[in-house]
Amino acid sequence: MRTTPTRAFAVIAVVGLAAGLSACTNANDLTTGSAKAKSQGYDVSSITKQDDIAALLPEGALGSDGVLDIGASTDYAPAEFLDANGKPIGYDADLTQALGKVLGVDAQMHTASFDSIIAKVGTEYDAGISSFSITNERMQNVDMVQYVEVGSQFNVAKGNPKGIDSSDHLNLCGKVVGVQTGTAQADAMDADSQACAAAGQAPIDVRSYDKQAEATSALVGSTVDATYSDSTVAGYAVETTDGAVETLGEVEDAAPQGVVLKKNAETAAAIKAALQYLMDKGILDEILQSWGVEGAALKEATINPAVSE
């Protein structure tokens, strides 16, 4: 999950030293270095318009063009990233198309800087679907409808040759951990590094990369001892590197991600109903499974759910 500050709304990542953390990261199209993107995806052509749900969408909610325009930072495999032709793919891209089908409208995902999306929802975009973690700070300014729950996880090189033990983050003192710049995982590792120093141990050498693919490539090349990312990203890295890396330990503190909407009760109700339909029909599960993601789909599409952050 992404909990980095947005252009309009600062979100503070609350991090802890224990193995269980509530912060998740973003990731990137794994096409750099040794990592190669997979482009399976879900065929949404069989999804039909649900008239009762479409009727919930208020007139003019999608602007004059009637298109469901979604802002996404398409650098986050397997959620949203670009194929070789520059087309958005990933499970959030498939979800975007599925929502359009249920609502009976065209849907289009637009590439945007992650930090700019929330500020543009309601003007340039009708919604943001870009692995946004749901936080109380964000919900003060926008509506969020939950659809998946994702945690954080470490990756190490196959066989864990460096003997990394992530069961307690103090065990990472003195180790080299790769993260993506500006993410909650980066914040978490920075906080843990400070805790190491406070405990009289060597700090964690936190290596920040602009793209998660670069961190994965650094792991394969033994430049870092481990990487820290979303559990979905960690699992996908195993696939895209043909097993050159493996996940380590349990998924830490899963938390919900949501669709971002301008505050409007009617629009939120329509998106909630469309998401609930996709959940009830098992379509959301199938979309996630088509990208190698198991068990992340939620059963209830709640508007502005209670969260700890």
Side-chain angles (χ1 to χ4, degrees):
M1 279 167 283
R2 303 181 179 186
T3 58
T4 53
T6 64
R7 184 175 299 170
F9 316 118
V11 178
I12 301 173
V14 180
V15 294
L17 183 62
L21 296 176
S22 60
C24 302
T25 188
N26 60 1
N28 289 272
D29 181 357
L30 297 177
T31 56
T32 302
S34 62
K36 53 187 179 182
K38 307 291 184 181
S39 59
Q40 46 271 64
Y42 185 82
D43 183 0
V44 302
S45 62
S46 63
I47 303 174
T48 58
K49 178 182 178 181
Q50 302 301 303
D51 291 335
D52 57 334
I53 296 175
L56 297 174
L57 197 63
E59 184 176 354
L62 304 183
S64 59
D65 63 358
V67 174
L68 178 61
D69 291 301
I70 302 296
S73 180
T74 50
D75 58 0
Y76 181 24
E80 57 269 340
F81 59 114
L82 301 176
D83 68 9
N85 297 316
K87 176 185 176 181
I89 58 175
Y91 62 77
D92 278 343
D94 290 344
L95 175 63
T96 294
Q97 295 303 314
L99 287 172
K101 291 288 188 180
V102 174
L103 293 169
V105 299
D106 290 334
Q108 185 174 358
M109 178 171 275
H110 303 271
T111 296
S113 167
F114 179 71
D115 288 351
S116 74
I117 296 170
I118 290 181
K120 294 180 179 180
V121 168
T123 55
E124 188 169 339
Y125 310 123
D126 301 308
I129 302 180
S130 197
S131 302
F132 283 101
S133 59
I134 297 178
T135 67
N136 290 314
E137 290 88 349
R138 281 181 174 152
M139 289 186 290
Q140 291 176 8
N141 301 286
V142 294
D143 285 330
M144 303 192 74
V145 188
Q146 66 176 11
Y147 62 102
V148 292
E149 190 170 73
V150 178
S152 299
Q153 196 163 29
F154 289 92
N155 274 28
V156 294
K158 183 178 181 180
N160 194 11
K162 301 292 183 68
I164 301 299
D165 176 9
S166 60
S167 61
D168 185 326
H169 288 194
L170 277 175
N171 295 333
L172 300 173
C173 297
K175 303 297 184 182
V176 184
V177 179
V179 295
Q180 187 177 356
T181 303
T183 64
Q185 262 86 1
D187 292 341
M189 286 296 98
D190 285 341
D192 288 342
S193 182
Q194 293 173 18
C196 287
Q201 300 189 49
I204 299 170
D205 183 355
V206 182
R207 304 281 179 89
S208 292
Y209 297 87
D210 288 337
K211 298 181 178 181
Q212 184 65 30
E214 296 170 356
T216 299
S217 295
L219 179 59
V220 174
S222 299
T223 301
V224 300
D225 301 325
T227 59
Y228 193 43
S229 66
D230 271 3
S231 53
T232 53
V233 173
Y236 192 65
V238 175
E239 180 181 355
T240 54
T241 60
D242 292 328
V245 304
E246 62 185 48
T247 56
L248 179 69
E250 300 296 324
V251 174
E252 299 178 351
D253 274 3
Q257 297 177 346
V259 177
V260 176
L261 301 163
K262 180 181 178 180
K263 280 195 172 295
N264 181 291
E266 292 180 331
T267 301
I271 296 300
K272 172 187 175 180
L275 284 170
Q276 192 64 56
Y277 175 83
L278 296 174
M279 291 173 178
D280 293 344
K281 296 298 182 181
I283 296 172
L284 180 57
D285 271 318
E286 292 173 359
I287 289 173
L288 293 168
Q289 288 166 9
S290 74
W291 290 97
V293 177
E294 299 285 344
L298 291 169
K299 301 301 183 185
E300 184 174 356
T302 304
I303 301 171
N304 298 331
V307 294
S308 59
E309 292 185 20

